[in-house]
Amino acid sequence: MLYSQLSNGTTNHGLVPCQISTNLSNIQVIEVACRSYHSLVLTSDREVYAWGYNNSGQVGSGSTGYNGNGQLGLGSSGNQPTPCRVAALQGIRVQWVACGYAHTLVLTDEGQVYAWGANSYGQFGTGNKSNQSYPTPVVVEKDRIIEIATCHSAHTSAAKTQGVHMYMWSQCRSQSVILPHLTHFCCTDDVFACFARTSLKREFDNPGTADLNFLVDGIYIYAHEVLLKIRCEHFHSSLEDSEDDTVEMSEFSYPVFRAFLEYLYTDNMSLSPEEVVGLLDLSTFYCETWLKKLCQQTIKQGICEENTIALLSAAVKHYAQDLEEFCFRFCIDHLTITQISGFAEMDYDFLKNFSSKASRVGAFKN
């Protein structure tokens, strides 16, 4: 191996498993983290050992091969062929280790996160993009961190707090987020599935890479099973034991179901407010809380006198109370809707309840 990733003291390829004896002899390892060119292990004594390619300080030993601007002032470019203890963490009990493409995160038993290595995208979350070969503290509000993770290809870092808040930082859709950013997600898989959207968007409905097809209204939509399982709890369970590569869908129309799948890939949707009603139905059926909120927001932005009654009816049907109140208030402020032909054609019970509620708020007083 070119960069000593195998930690056998050489740069030779290894075709069969071999024990790592150098510096790890008689030491119990409880966790391993690997990326393309460097590796870390966590021992039962909560110490961290690292080895491999060290061009940006991934090993955390204080030496590095990347010093283009002289910002580190170390002047060493040597790789680390055998495991070495990260001395800067001596006396600190590490609970978790995670490796990015060229940076490393560790989580201590006190909920503190340290980072080191490459920081060109803000991988440390410290507010700058300076590389660092020594462990640097990462501050995520005041909440205790209980989980950390990194994404190899997107250079993205994430942390989950004890208060069940999920933060991300670093590369985000071709931009750099240099401080931890609070997200609406509840797990690291969703963070990476969302913020790696640039490449995922290109793969949506791509028959060349898809391993799963949906047949809706006689039209195929091409998707990727693993992504759907990560992004949607419904698919996580419904596809778990399925061996079919084609799923026929009759519950929803092609435009609505395609918009749903596109949302899972991009976190966005492109439907008119009237079409979003169908997606609101789907989000309720699949218990997609965040999508339901997005649908309600889209409907609010596109409401008008011509569609307000239909949108109010949909809000009532799907128990979207906030949206129902918004549409009702819009109706009260635009009572000319009662002159629209579709108003009189609405369901009798719906009209009765609407008229009663409108009367209680004084809508029909002179």
Side-chain angles (χ1 to χ4, degrees), residues 15-326:
L15 302 180
V16 295
C18 62
Q19 183 179 8
I20 300 176
S21 56
T22 310
N23 293 352
L24 288 179
S25 180
N26 300 320
I27 293 179
Q28 183 180 10
V29 173
I30 61 174
E31 188 173 342
V32 179
C34 304
R35 278 312 184 209
S36 294
Y37 304 126
H38 73 294
S39 306
L40 282 91
V41 297
L42 176 63
T43 73
S44 58
D45 292 330
R46 300 299 175 181
E47 292 184 331
V48 177
Y49 285 75
W51 65 92
Y53 195 28
N54 194 33
N55 70 325
S56 296
Q58 298 97 307
V59 172
S61 61
S63 63
T64 175
Y66 184 77
N67 194 24
N69 298 315
Q71 64 265 46
L72 300 183
L74 298 176
S76 173
S77 60
N79 296 331
Q80 180 62 42
T82 58
C84 66
R85 187 173 63 185
V86 180
L89 294 177
Q90 187 170 1
I92 297 176
R93 292 180 60 82
V94 173
Q95 294 283 86
W96 204 310
V97 293
C99 291
Y101 179 79
H103 78 290
T104 300
L105 299 179
V106 298
L107 174 64
T108 74
D109 62 347
E110 295 181 350
Q112 175 65 61
V113 175
Y114 291 87
W116 64 85
N119 193 32
S120 55
Y121 295 97
Q123 290 97 309
F124 298 172
T126 53
N128 61 61
K129 297 182 181 180
S130 300
N131 292 357
Q132 177 60 268
S133 60
Y134 287 100
T136 302
V138 180
V139 179
V140 180
E141 296 297 326
K142 297 180 180 179
D143 205 352
R144 180 189 182 96
I145 298 175
I146 60 173
E147 182 181 340
I148 56 173
T150 61
C151 180
H152 173 271
S153 59
H155 305 285
T156 306
S157 303
K160 185 177 183 178
T161 70
Q162 196 169 34
V164 199
H165 295 122
M166 184 63 64
Y167 290 83
M168 66 76 56
W169 60 93
S170 190
Q171 191 177 36
C172 172
R173 298 172 185 169
S174 302
Q175 296 181 351
S176 297
V177 178
I178 59 178
L179 288 171
H181 170 72
L182 180 63
T183 74
H184 63 272
F185 300 111
C186 59
C187 70
T188 55
D189 286 339
D190 285 353
V191 171
F192 298 138
C194 173
F195 290 107
R197 287 290 189 262
T198 302
S199 57
L200 290 179
K201 185 176 182 179
R202 293 195 299 265
E203 298 307 319
F204 171 63
D205 205 11
N206 182 352
T209 61
D211 58 0
L212 183 65
N213 311 316
F214 289 93
L215 183 59
V216 189
D217 296 340
I219 306 173
Y220 283 101
I221 308 174
Y222 302 95
H224 303 77
E225 182 177 341
V226 64
L227 184 141
L228 300 186
K229 286 182 176 180
I230 290 173
R231 287 284 283 150
C232 177
E233 185 61 33
H234 168 77
F235 288 133
H236 180 77
S237 57
S238 66
L239 298 176
E240 186 64 30
D241 299 321
S242 176
E243 297 181 357
D244 297 332
D245 56 8
T246 299
V247 178
E248 293 190 30
M249 178 61 57
S250 59
E251 292 88 347
F252 304 99
S253 67
Y254 171 80
V256 167
F257 196 74
R258 189 181 193 281
F260 173 55
L261 294 181
E262 186 174 13
Y263 160 80
L264 296 181
Y265 278 75
T266 66
D267 226 29
N268 294 305
M269 61 179 181
S270 53
L271 291 175
S272 68
E274 293 79 11
E275 292 174 317
V276 171
V277 170
L279 195 57
L280 180 63
D281 187 22
L282 182 150
S283 65
T284 303
F285 184 77
Y286 286 162
C287 300
E288 287 288 329
T289 304
W290 183 253
L291 178 58
K292 187 173 182 178
K293 291 180 180 179
L294 183 60
C295 289
Q296 294 182 53
Q297 180 182 354
T298 302
I299 291 173
K300 287 180 180 180
Q301 293 172 346
I303 195 171
C304 62
E305 292 186 13
E306 286 72 24
N307 64 19
T308 182
I309 289 296
L311 298 180
L312 174 59
S313 178
V316 173
K317 176 182 177 182
H318 300 298
Y319 305 100
Q321 296 179 349
D322 179 63
L323 178 61
E324 178 184 348
E325 185 62 25
F326 179 87

